[in-house]
Amino acid sequence: MTRDEMKSLRKSLGLTQTEMAEQIGLTLRAYQALEKGETALRQANALAAERAALTEAIRQGNPMLAPASIRREALEIARLITGEGA
């Protein structure tokens, strides 16, 4: 995930920078530095952003808010739970 993708994801979720920072466990200033490219985007930040997107998709009842990779993984888990993957 790039900083532009992070910013785009946040906007698609309808979150402010403050809300996204809270969702991924950063201060507002630290999050702003990520979006501006002042700080390198770590894998932990990207994973936290994907998790925030999943949470928002569930909260808003819109699976399309979650990144495609997360939707695919969620479908695989659902198949395992329902026994369709066996």
Side-chain angles (χ1 to χ4, degrees):
M1 176 179 292
T2 67
R3 67 183 178 91
D4 290 335
E5 290 169 333
M6 172 85 80
K7 186 176 183 177
S8 178
L9 177 62
R10 175 183 60 79
K11 288 183 175 186
S12 72
L13 297 173
L15 299 176
T16 65
Q17 287 183 329
T18 300
E19 292 167 333
M20 185 64 144
E22 288 173 1
Q23 289 264 357
I24 66 174
L26 296 175
T27 65
L28 174 59
R29 178 63 191 114
Y31 181 78
Q32 289 171 331
L34 283 178
E35 275 197 7
K36 289 180 182 178
E38 298 170 353
T39 303
L41 182 63
R42 296 179 13 230
Q43 183 178 10
N45 301 131
L47 292 172
E50 289 177 345
R51 176 67 183 182
L54 177 60
T55 299
E56 281 299 306
I58 293 167
R59 188 182 69 75
Q60 294 183 32
N62 182 356
M64 298 311 289
L65 292 176
S69 60
I70 299 299
R71 291 193 309 269
R72 281 192 300 275
E73 290 173 0
L75 286 172
E76 288 301 316
I77 290 293
R79 286 186 189 107
L80 289 172
I81 291 169
T82 61
E84 292 178 28

